[in-house]
C-alpha cells in the first residue's frame, strides 16, 4: 500500500515510500531520518514539528506527506549557521531543546517574511509554539536581536 | 581560567539548535515493532470480560497482552499498581491491554478491535469522596500489597499514607495566640506537560541481556525494577537515556519501560517501541498531584506566629507512586520558612479515581507553599501589618528548627531575610501594594517566601569517573540525565575549575548508559549538582593525586610539591619546571623507552550524610541536606469589570549558596516562574460526571504561550553551603514554588476577597467574588 513520492527537502530531491495517510512529520522522521521536527501533540497545538514550506511555517504533523509534493520544504537540518540559530545560542533560548527546532523554524520564516516585524506580529506568529522550559523572555530576546539586526 | 559563576553556554547547545540532538523517540531501526495501549474509558469499573479474538487477527499484529498475563503489582512505596489493569480499572486512561504490531497505526487499529466489558463502580473523585464514611474503596485489597515500612496506609479506607508532625505544645501555642486565622485551600491535579511525551523501547537478547532506551530521569530505578519484577540479573539490564525533552519530575516515575519490556517479551525479545501520544501522556502516565488543605494559624498582636495546625489532603489518584512520599515531604516542611514552635500537621495522601500522581517540580513544596503563604497574608491582613514586615518578623534562621525538628545552621539554610528584602526592593514595594491605574484598573503586588529540601533517600549516592585522552583532555562519566537543566555543563565547569583547565578540554558523556556510567540516585530534587558535583570533585582530587605522584618521580620531588594547571603538572616553587598532562596521564615514558605510571583514572563518589528516617508518631527526622530559600513577588494589573488581569512583573530572589553558571541558574529560575504562573493562572484537569479527564490536548489544557509572560527579574544571594561544590545549593525547582501564592495574594487584594483556589482564571475569581463555595471539602 506504500507508494513512492518525491519531495524537495532542504534543496534536495528525495524519494520516499509512504502510505497516503502518513503525515509529513512521519515521512521526515521515519523515512528520511530528519528527526529535528518533533512530535509534541500531533494535533497542531504545540508547534514542535514546525517546518518551512514555500517560505511559510507549517506544522508537519497536520499535513500529509503527499501534500508536500512539488513544494520547497525546509527542515531545521536545512538551516546552517543562520542568525536565529546563533541568537538562540547566545540568548539561552532553550533548555531541553525539544521545542527548539520548531521555534527556530517559525522564527526563521518570520524574519524572512517580516524582517522588521513589530511586537504584535512576533507574538501572533510565536504563539503557535509551546516551550515548557524557558520563560519565553529568552526567546523574545533571541528573535528581537535578529529582527533589529535585520532592520 | 576562572569558570565558576560564568555563563558558559550549555555543552549540547549546537546539537539543539541544529535539530541534531537525539531524544528517545528519534531512534528507530528496521524491523522494530511498535506497541500501543488500549486504555480505560471509565474512572472506576470492574472488568467483566476482555475479548481480543478479532484484534489478534488484525493486520500486522504480533502479540496482545492483558492484565491477567502479568500478575504483578508495582510502585516505589506501595506495590499496588498493575502494569495493565487487573480485575478493575481505577482511572480514566488506565492501560487495559497492550498490542504489539509491525507499525504504530496497525497497533492502534487493533486496539480499537479489542472488546472490553465493564461494570461501573462508585467513583472517588474528590478528597471528600475519599474520606466519607463507608467510602467506595479504590483499593479494597490494600492490606495485601507489599510496601516499605516508611509509609502508613490505612486499611479499609482511601488513605494511602498519613504523616504526623507533633512539634511543641499546641495548647501553649493557642494560649499565646491573640489572633487566629483559619482557611481552606484547593487546587486540582495538573500535568508536567514536558514537550517530549514519554517513550521507551525494549529489546531482550538471547543471552538474557535486556536493553531499554527511555526518556527517564531515573534510569537506575528502571534497571532495579526490571530486576525486581522480572528477575533479570542486574548486570544484564542496560538502560540507556539520551537527551530528555523536559522532565519536571514526571519522568522519574517508571511506567512505559516495564510495559515495553512486557511487549518485547511477548514477541520473543524483538525490539519494541512504546511512545505516548500527548493524550496518553496526560491521562495514562502520572500527573501532578492535587490538594485540599486546611490551615489554622495563630499569632500574638505584635505579629509573632505562635501555632500552626495544618491538614493536607493530597489527591493522589488511583495509585500511590510518589504521592505518598510527597505527602510526607509536605508534612516535614509544612510551615514554609517560618519559625513556628508549636506545629500540628496531618498530611494524608488519598487514593482517588484520577490518573495517579508522581513527583512534580518542587516535590510537595509548591503544594504546601500555596496554603501557607496565603495564610500568612491573611494573618498580616488581620493584624493590619504589612505582609512583608509580618514575614520578616517570622522568617526562619540558623539556630531554629524545622517542623520535623531538624536543626538549621549557617550552612544548611539560606538567608530568607535578605531574599525578602531584596525582592521587596525589586518589586518596588514602596510604590504601594495597590494602586488604581488607567481605565479604573488596579495595579496590585503580592509576595511569598519559600523553602525546599530534597527529601531524598537517606542513602542516595552518586559516582563519577574521569579518564584522560592522550592530549591531556578529560572525559567525565556520570549518571546524571540531561533533561534541560544543564547539569552536565555545570559539572564540566566544576571539573575545569579544579584542573584550572580550559572548558573546551572537558568532555562530558551526554547520554546515560547504566552499563558504563557510575550510578546516580536519580536526576531529581535539584540535587544532581550537589551530589554528582561532589563526586566529580573527588574524582578530580583522586586523579590529581595520581598525577602529582607520577610527576614527582620525574621531577624528583614530593607529590605535595606539585600542582596542576593549564594542562600541566608543575613544581609549585618553580612553575617553569613542569610536565604536560598529556605526557603523564597515559604513563610517563623516559627517553630510553622505559615507562612508569599508567593510565590515570579518577574515581569519586558521594553519599548523603546524616539524613534519618522519620518518626511515625511525631515526624521527627532529617529529610534533606539543605534548604534552598527564596522570596518571590508578582505585579499584575487587574480589571474589575472583566475579572481579567495582565501579568506585569515577576521577581525571584533565591539563596543558592554559590552561582555556578549565572545564565544557567537564571534560566532555571525564570522557566520555573513561568511554570508556576501556568499552574497559578490556567492549568488543572477538569473532569466530567463520569470522571473522565476533559483536557487531554494543548487546546484545552492551556499552557503559557509566547507574549503572555511578564517581565522576569531574578537575583541570587550567596550564603555558601559548606559541603556543596564551591558552596552551591540546588536551584532547579525553586522558581516554581512561590509564584502561585504571590499571585493569589496580589489578586486577593485587588478583588477584596480571599482567593484560595487555583487556577486563578477570571471565571474562578468571579465565582469567588460572588460568594460561591471555595472549598471542595
Amino acid at each position: 500500500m506504500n507508494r513512492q513520492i518525491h519531495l524537495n527537502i532542504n534543496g534536495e530531491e528525495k524519494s520516499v515510500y509512504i502510505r497516503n495517510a502518513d503525515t509529513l512529520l512521519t515521512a521526515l522522521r521515519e523515512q528520511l531520518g530528519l528527526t529535528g521536527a518533533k512530535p509534541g501533540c500531533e494535533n497542531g497545538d504545540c508547534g514542535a514539528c514546525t517546518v518551512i514550506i514555500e517560505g511559510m511555517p507549517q506544522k508537519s504533523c497536520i499535513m500529509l506527506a503527499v501534500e508536500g509534493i512539488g513544494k520547497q520544504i525546509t527542515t531545521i537540518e536545512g538551516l546552517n549557521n543562520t542568525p536565529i540559530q546563533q541568537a538562540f545560542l547566545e540568548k539561552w533560548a532553550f533548555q531541553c531543546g525539544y521545542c527548539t527546532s520548531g521555534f527556530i523554524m517559525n522564527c526563521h520564516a518570520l524574519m524572512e517574511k517580516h524582517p522588521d516585524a513589530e511586537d504584535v506580529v512576533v507574538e501572533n506568529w510565536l504563539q503557535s509554539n509551546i516551550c515548557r522550559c524557558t520563560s519565553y523572555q529568552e526567546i523574545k530576546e533571541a528573535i528581537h536581536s535578529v529582527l533589529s539586526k535585520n532592520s | 581560567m576562572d569558570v565558576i559563576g560564568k555563563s558558559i553556554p550549555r555543552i549540547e547547545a549546537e546539537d539543539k539548535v541544529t535539530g541534531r540532538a537525539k531524544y528517545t523517540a528519534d531512534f528507530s531501526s528496521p524491523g522494530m515493532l511498535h506497541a500501543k495501549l488500549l486504555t480505560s474509558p471509565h474512572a472506576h469499573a470492574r472488568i467483566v470480560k476482555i475479548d481480543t479474538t478479532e484484534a489478534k487477527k488484525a493486520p500486522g499484529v504480533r502479540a496482545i497482552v492483558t492484565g491477567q498475563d502479568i500478575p504483578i503489582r508495582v510502585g516505589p512505596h506501595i506495590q499496588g499498581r498493575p502494569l495493565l489493569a487487573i480485575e478493575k480499572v481505577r482511572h480514566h486512561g488506565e492501560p487495559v491491554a497492550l498490542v504489539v504490531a509491525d507499525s504504530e497505526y496497525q497497533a492502534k487499529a487493533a486496539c480499537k478491535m479489542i472488546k472490553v466489558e465493564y461494570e461501573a463502580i462508585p467513583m472517588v473523585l474528590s478528597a471528600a469522596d475519599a474520606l466519607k464514611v463507608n467510602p467506595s474503596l479504590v483499593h479494597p485489597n490494600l492490606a495485601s500489597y507489599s510496601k516499605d515500612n516508611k509509609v502508613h496506609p490505612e486499611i479499609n479506607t482511601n488513605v494511602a499514607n498519613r504523616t504526623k508532625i507533633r512539634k511543641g505544645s499546641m495548647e501553649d501555642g493557642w494560649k499565646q495566640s491573640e489572633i487566629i486565622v483559619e482557611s481552606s485551600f484547593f487546587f486540582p491535579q495538573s500535568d508536567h506537560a514536558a514537550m517530549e511525551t514519554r517513550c521507551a523501547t525494549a529489546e531482550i537478547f538471547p543471552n538474557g541481556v535486556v536493553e531499554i532506551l527511555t526518556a527517564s530521569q531515573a534510569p537506575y530505578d528502571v534497571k532495579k525494577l526490571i530486576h525486581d519484577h522480572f528477575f533479570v540479573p542486574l548486570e544484564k539490564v542496560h538502560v540507556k537515556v539520551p537527551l530528555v525533552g523536559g522532565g519536571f519530575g514526571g519522568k522519574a516515575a517508571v511506567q512505559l519501560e516495564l510495559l515495553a519490556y512486557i511487549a518485547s517479551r511477548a514477541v520473543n525479545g524483538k525490539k519494541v517501541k512504546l511512545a505516548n501520544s500527548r493524550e496518553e501522556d496526560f491521562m495514562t502516565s502520572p500527573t501532578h498531584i492535587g490538594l485540599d488543605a486546611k490551615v489554622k494559624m495563630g499569632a500574638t498582636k505584635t505579629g509573632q506566629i505562635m501555632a500552626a495546625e495544618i491538614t493536607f489532603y493530597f489527591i493522589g489518584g488511583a495509585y500511590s507512586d510518589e504521592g505518598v512520599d510527597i505527602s510526607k515531604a509536605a508534612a516535614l516542611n509544612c510551615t514554609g520558612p517560618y519559625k513556628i514552635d508549636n506545629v500540628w500537621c496531618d498530611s494524608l495522601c488519598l487514593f482517588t479515581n484520577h490518573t495517579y500522581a508522581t513527583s512534580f517540580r518542587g516535590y510537595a513544596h509548591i503544594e504546601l507553599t500555596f496554603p501557607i503563604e496565603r495564610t500568612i497574608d491573611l494573618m498580616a491582613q488581620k493584624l493590619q501589618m504589612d505582609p512583608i514586615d509580618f514575614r520578616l518578623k517570622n522568617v526562619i534562621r540558623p539556630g531554629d528548627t524545622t517542623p520535623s525538628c531538624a536543626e538549621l545552621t549557617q550552612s544548611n539554610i539560606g538567608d530568607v531575610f535578605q531574599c525578602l528584602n531584596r525582592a521587596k526592593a525589586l518589586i518596588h514595594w514602596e510604590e504601594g501594594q495597590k494602586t488604581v491605574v488607567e481605565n479604573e484598573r488596579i495595579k496590585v503586588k503580592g509576595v511569598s517566601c519559600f523553602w525546599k529540601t530534597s527529601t531524598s533517600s537517606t542513602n542516595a549516592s552518586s559516582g563519577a569517573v574521569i579518564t584522560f585522552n592522550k592530549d591531556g583532555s578529560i572525559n567525565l562519566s556520570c549518571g546524571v540525565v540531561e533533561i534541560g537543566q544543564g547539569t552536565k555543563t555545570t559539572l564540566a565547569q566544576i571539573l575545569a575549575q579544579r584542573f584550572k583547565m580550559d572548558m573546551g578540554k572537558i568532555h562530558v558523556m551526554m547520554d546515560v548508559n547504566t552499563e558504563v556510567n557510575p550510578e546516580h540516585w536519580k536526576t531529581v530534587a535539584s540535587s544532581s549538582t550537589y551530589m554528582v558535583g561532589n563526586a566529580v570533585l573527588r574524582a578530580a582530587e583522586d586523579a590529581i593525586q595520581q598525577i602529582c605522584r607520577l610527576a614527582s618521580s620525574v621531577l624528583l620531588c614530593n607529590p605535595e610539591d606539585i600542582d596542576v594547571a593549564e594542562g600541566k603538572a608543575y613544581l609549585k616553587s618553580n612553575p617553569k619546571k613542569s610536565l604536560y598532562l598529556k605526557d603523564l596521564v597515559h604513563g610517563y615514558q623516559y627517553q630510553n623507552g622505559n615507562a612508569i605510571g599508567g593510565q590515570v583514572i579518577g574515581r569519586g563518589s558521594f553519599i548523603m550524610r546524616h539524613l534519618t528516617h522519620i518518626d511515625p508518631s511525631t515526624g521527627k527526622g532529617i529529610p534533606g541536606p539543605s534548604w534552598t530559600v527564596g522570596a518571590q513577588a508578582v505585579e499584575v494589573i487587574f480589571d474589575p469589570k472583566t475579572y481579567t488581569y495582565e501579568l506585569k512583573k515577576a521577581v525571584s530572589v533565591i539563596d543558592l549558596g554559590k552561582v555556578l553558571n549565572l545564565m544557567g541558574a537564571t534560566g532555571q529560575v525564570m522557566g520555573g516562574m513561568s511554570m508556576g504562573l501556568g499552574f497559578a493562572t490556567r492549568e488543572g484537569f477538569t473532569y466530567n460526571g463520569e470522571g473522565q479527564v476533559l483536557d487531554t490536548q494543548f487546546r484545552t489544557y492551556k499552557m503559557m504561550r509566547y507574549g503572555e509572560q511578564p517581565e522576569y527579574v531574578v537575583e541570587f544571594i550567596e550564603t555558601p553551603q559548606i559541603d556543596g561544590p564551591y558552596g552551591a545549593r540546588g536551584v532547579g525547582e525553586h522558581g516554581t514554588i512561590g509564584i502561585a501564592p504571590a499571585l493569589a495574594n496580589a489578586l486577593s487584594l485587588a478583588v477584596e476577597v480571599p482567593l484560595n483556589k487555583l487556577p486563578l482564571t477570571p471565571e474562578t475569581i468571579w465565582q469567588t467574588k460572588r460568594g460561591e463555595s471555595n472549598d471542595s471539602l
Side-chain angles (χ1 to χ4, degrees):
Chain A
M1 253 165 307
N2 284 4
R3 60 184 275 210
Q4 187 181 22
I5 61 167
H6 294 276
L7 294 175
N8 187 301
I9 295 169
N10 301 329
E12 294 173 352
E13 201 68 16
K14 293 279 185 186
S15 74
V16 286
Y17 287 88
I18 54 143
R19 291 185 308 134
N20 285 337
D22 280 343
T23 60
L24 178 61
L25 177 66
T26 303
L28 291 173
R29 291 173 56 80
E30 287 172 22
Q31 293 286 315
L32 295 161
L34 297 172
T35 55
K38 305 291 184 203
C41 65
E42 294 184 274
N43 199 34
D45 296 335
C46 80
C49 64
T50 305
V51 298
I52 299 174
I53 294 180
E54 301 287 334
M56 284 298 281
Q58 293 272 347
K59 289 165 178 175
S60 63
C61 75
I62 47 170
M63 173 177 168
L64 293 173
V66 291
E67 292 178 281
I69 297 171
K71 294 180 178 147
Q72 299 287 330
I73 301 166
T74 310
T75 70
I76 182 80
E77 290 88 350
L79 298 195
N80 188 17
N81 243 332
T82 60
I84 190 65
Q85 286 169 297
Q86 201 50 41
F88 264 63
L89 268 173
E90 281 166 15
K91 303 296 180 187
W92 292 66
F94 55 92
Q95 289 177 21
C96 83
Y98 198 82
C99 74
T100 312
S101 303
F103 258 107
I104 287 180
M105 295 313 281
N106 196 355
C107 290
H108 184 73
L110 169 62
M111 53 176 282
E112 297 275 302
K113 213 80 188 163
H114 303 286
D116 351 281
E118 300 196 354
D119 278 10
V120 55
V121 176
V122 176
E123 222 170 280
N124 267 336
W125 278 56
L126 297 195
Q127 286 212 333
S128 65
N129 294 51
I130 301 175
C131 171
R132 185 59 154 172
C133 297
T134 74
S135 72
Y136 296 111
Q137 187 160 301
E138 304 90 326
I139 296 175
K140 186 175 182 179
E141 284 172 23
I143 182 72
H144 281 274
S145 75
V146 171
L147 288 171
S148 50
K149 257 183 235 165
N150 266 24
S151 56
Chain B
M1 212 45 83
D2 229 17
V3 291
I4 290 298
K6 298 260 166 67
S7 298
I8 307 287
R10 48 176 73 243
I11 52 184
E12 78 287 9
E14 276 94 351
D15 287 351
K16 286 181 173 173
V17 296
T18 52
R20 299 291 290 278
K22 292 265 192 188
Y23 303 78
T24 300
D26 296 340
F27 294 89
S28 57
S29 52
M32 182 177 80
L33 302 175
H34 296 262
K36 208 67 208 166
L37 297 169
L38 172 71
T39 61
S40 165
H42 300 286
H44 204 189
R46 197 169 71 83
I47 299 171
V48 180
K49 196 171 141 197
I50 304 182
D51 180 0
T52 59
T53 328
E54 287 305 305
K56 273 185 179 144
K57 295 180 204 154
V61 171
R62 302 299 161 204
I64 296 182
V65 189
T66 62
Q68 63 183 20
D69 303 323
I70 359 168
I72 59 165
R73 289 175 186 274
V74 303
H77 302 282
I78 300 174
Q79 295 185 1
R81 181 172 66 82
L83 297 181
L84 296 166
I86 297 173
E87 291 165 13
K88 68 171 185 170
V89 290
R90 293 179 174 83
H91 69 89
H92 175 217
E94 176 161 7
V96 172
L98 175 145
V99 176
V100 188
D102 291 347
S103 61
E104 193 180 35
Y105 77 89
Q106 289 171 324
K108 220 183 267 182
C111 279
K112 290 195 176 132
M113 297 164 76
I114 299 174
K115 298 183 191 91
V116 189
E117 207 179 299
Y118 295 99
E119 193 181 272
I121 304 173
M123 294 175 291
V124 180
L125 289 176
S126 64
D129 284 351
L131 291 166
K132 69 183 176 198
V133 184
N134 294 323
S136 178
L137 290 179
V138 179
H139 290 275
N141 300 326
L142 186 53
S144 70
Y145 300 159
S146 328
K147 64 167 197 74
D148 71 42
N149 56 13
K150 298 185 288 295
V151 287
H152 312 284
E154 297 175 1
I155 310 307
N156 293 323
T157 75
N158 287 309
V159 177
N161 195 18
R162 184 189 296 264
T163 308
K164 298 174 187 169
I165 292 290
R166 305 290 183 262
K167 181 188 178 188
S169 154
M170 293 316 290
E171 205 188 328
D172 291 353
W174 297 130
K175 217 179 281 169
Q176 292 154 357
S177 296
E178 290 158 302
I179 67 118
I180 289 174
V181 158
E182 198 169 358
S183 257
S184 300
F185 307 88
F186 171 77
F187 53 81
Q189 290 202 332
S190 57
D191 202 71
H192 310 82
M195 293 317 296
E196 178 203 31
T197 59
R198 294 156 175 102
C199 179
T201 67
E203 185 171 9
I204 307 167
F205 292 88
N207 63 0
V209 165
V210 174
E211 206 170 282
I212 307 278
L213 179 76
T214 174
S216 171
Q217 295 173 246
Y220 299 88
D221 275 3
V222 174
K223 173 173 162 169
K224 183 176 175 299
L225 292 178
I226 298 271
H227 166 72
D228 287 353
H229 294 296
F230 305 113
F231 310 107
V232 182
L234 276 171
E235 72 277 12
K236 292 203 166 181
V237 188
H238 304 155
V239 182
K240 297 177 177 178
V241 182
L243 291 172
V244 171
F248 315 114
K251 288 172 182 161
V254 180
Q255 183 193 32
L256 296 195
E257 297 86 351
L258 304 181
L259 287 164
Y261 172 81
I262 290 293
S264 174
R265 200 174 65 174
V267 292
N268 209 11
K270 290 195 187 91
K271 190 189 275 190
V272 182
K273 181 190 272 189
L274 174 61
N276 269 357
S277 66
R278 176 57 59 188
E279 290 80 356
E280 287 160 339
D281 222 50
F282 274 130
M283 60 184 198
T284 300
S285 288
T287 61
H288 176 205
I289 209 159
L291 177 69
D292 261 295
K294 288 180 177 173
V295 181
K296 181 179 169 192
M297 204 179 268
T300 61
K301 274 184 191 150
T302 55
Q304 202 67 48
I305 305 175
M306 300 315 298
E309 182 184 302
I310 301 161
T311 317
F312 294 130
Y313 304 99
F314 281 94
I315 304 163
Y319 300 103
S320 58
D321 205 83
E322 290 296 344
V324 288
D325 198 55
I326 291 166
S327 65
K328 181 180 89 178
L332 302 178
N333 299 287
C334 62
T335 55
Y338 299 100
K339 178 189 185 298
I340 308 180
D341 291 336
N342 307 301
V343 183
W344 181 101
C345 173
D346 260 21
S347 181
L348 286 71
C349 181
L350 301 172
F351 286 122
T352 59
N353 292 119
H354 301 100
T355 301
Y356 68 102
T358 191
S359 45
F360 182 91
R361 196 178 200 171
Y363 206 78
H365 296 74
I366 180 173
E367 294 78 12
L368 75 89
T369 304
F370 179 65
I372 290 302
E373 288 296 321
R374 278 294 302 131
T375 303
I376 294 282
D377 250 43
L378 293 169
M379 297 275 288
Q381 200 184 341
K382 195 155 184 179
L383 286 160
Q384 294 181 312
M385 275 180 81
D386 176 272
I388 292 187
D389 291 343
F390 178 58
R391 283 176 172 83
L392 288 172
K393 207 175 166 79
N394 288 284
V395 292
I396 207 155
R397 292 165 191 264
D400 297 336
T401 61
T402 71
S404 75
C405 296
E407 283 172 19
L408 297 171
T409 67
Q410 295 282 358
S411 165
N412 74 1
I413 186 156
D415 190 338
V416 198
F417 194 86
Q418 212 185 330
C419 289
L420 185 52
N421 267 324
R422 197 59 204 135
K424 179 181 179 180
L426 291 170
I427 200 75
H428 299 293
W429 196 253
E430 74 286 352
E431 289 174 357
Q433 215 189 334
K434 182 176 179 182
T435 44
V436 177
V437 293
E438 75 285 357
N439 299 326
E440 293 164 41
R441 298 195 304 164
I442 305 164
K443 183 162 95 175
V444 276
K445 298 170 191 193
V447 292
S448 68
C449 294
F450 68 82
W451 67 355
K452 186 190 182 272
T453 192
S454 74
T455 328
S456 46
S457 306
T458 56
N459 65 345
S461 79
S462 307
V465 173
I466 59 175
T467 57
F468 291 82
N469 301 302
K470 289 196 168 168
D471 62 355
S473 58
I474 301 179
N475 309 306
L476 169 62
S477 164
C478 64
V480 185
V481 178
E482 183 52 59
I483 55 178
Q485 85 284 38
T487 303
K488 291 208 156 151
T489 305
T490 310
L491 294 175
Q493 285 175 268
I494 288 172
L495 201 47
Q497 181 80 20
R498 184 62 194 89
F499 274 88
K500 303 185 193 81
M501 187 184 264
D502 187 79
M503 269 289 288
K505 298 268 185 224
I506 311 275
H507 169 75
V508 187
M509 186 176 165
M510 192 50 69
D511 297 355
V512 172
N513 180 349
T514 62
E515 193 180 358
V516 293
N517 299 124
E519 180 160 336
H520 169 47
W521 172 51
K522 41 189 168 175
T523 303
V524 298
S526 306
S527 59
S528 297
T529 300
Y530 170 63
M531 295 177 66
V532 187
N534 272 319
V536 166
L537 279 175
R538 281 169 203 176
E541 220 53 63
D542 183 41
I544 287 169
Q545 273 180 23
Q546 295 171 48
I547 291 165
C548 291
R549 211 177 309 132
L550 180 58
S552 70
S553 340
V554 181
L555 296 174
L556 306 172
C557 60
N558 291 322
E560 312 79 86
D561 299 334
I562 295 182
D563 203 354
V564 167
E566 295 176 29
K568 289 178 191 167
Y570 63 91
L571 206 56
K572 287 183 207 167
S573 58
N574 180 9
K576 280 184 190 154
K577 271 200 147 180
S578 65
L579 295 164
Y580 286 104
L581 289 189
K582 73 178 169 65
D583 297 328
L584 291 166
V585 291
H586 278 256
Y588 180 81
Q589 197 172 22
Y590 289 95
Q591 277 179 347
N592 71 355
N594 289 173
I596 57 166
Q599 284 189 44
V600 173
I601 299 173
R603 310 148 304 162
S605 69
F606 174 83
I607 189 161
M608 287 287 185
R609 289 180 303 252
H610 306 137
L611 306 191
T612 66
H613 296 314
I614 303 304
D615 182 306
S617 52
T618 62
K620 282 195 174 54
I622 302 172
S626 68
W627 281 257
T628 298
V629 300
Q632 296 184 299
V634 173
E635 179 184 301
V636 297
I637 292 184
F638 177 78
D639 186 339
K641 291 195 283 289
T642 60
Y643 286 81
T644 55
Y645 56 94
E646 202 182 319
L647 302 167
K648 296 304 284 183
K649 190 172 178 178
V651 171
S652 287
V653 182
I654 299 181
D655 189 341
L656 50 37
K658 172 80 185 168
V659 176
L660 298 179
N661 183 317
L662 181 60
M663 276 304 291
T666 305
Q668 286 304 297
V669 175
M670 291 203 300
M673 286 198 273
S674 176
M675 187 175 249
L677 283 173
F679 164 71
T681 61
R682 65 201 72 190
E683 290 181 41
F685 287 128
T686 45
Y687 305 86
N688 66 12
E690 267 72 63
Q692 292 170 316
V693 189
L694 296 178
D695 341 86
T696 59
Q697 298 177 335
F698 287 133
R699 59 188 62 180
T700 44
Y701 187 96
K702 301 286 186 189
M703 306 254 281
M704 290 285 287
R705 290 202 185 237
Y706 181 97
E708 295 172 328
Q709 76 276 10
E711 177 200 354
Y712 289 106
V713 180
V714 177
E715 269 195 21
F716 296 112
I717 305 289
E718 296 182 313
T719 309
Q721 180 182 336
I722 306 298
D723 62 347
Y726 299 104
R729 273 187 212 96
V731 76
E733 302 160 282
H734 304 79
T736 318
I737 299 175
I739 284 289
L743 178 72
N745 287 342
L747 288 170
S748 297
L749 188 68
V751 291
E752 295 168 350
V753 162
L755 299 172
N756 296 341
K757 184 177 175 179
L758 298 176
L760 292 161
T761 64
E763 187 182 356
T764 59
I765 298 170
W766 173 75
Q767 283 169 341
T768 310
K769 181 75 179 172
R770 274 171 38 125
E772 290 177 24
S773 165
N774 209 17
D775 320 324
S776 84
L777 268 182

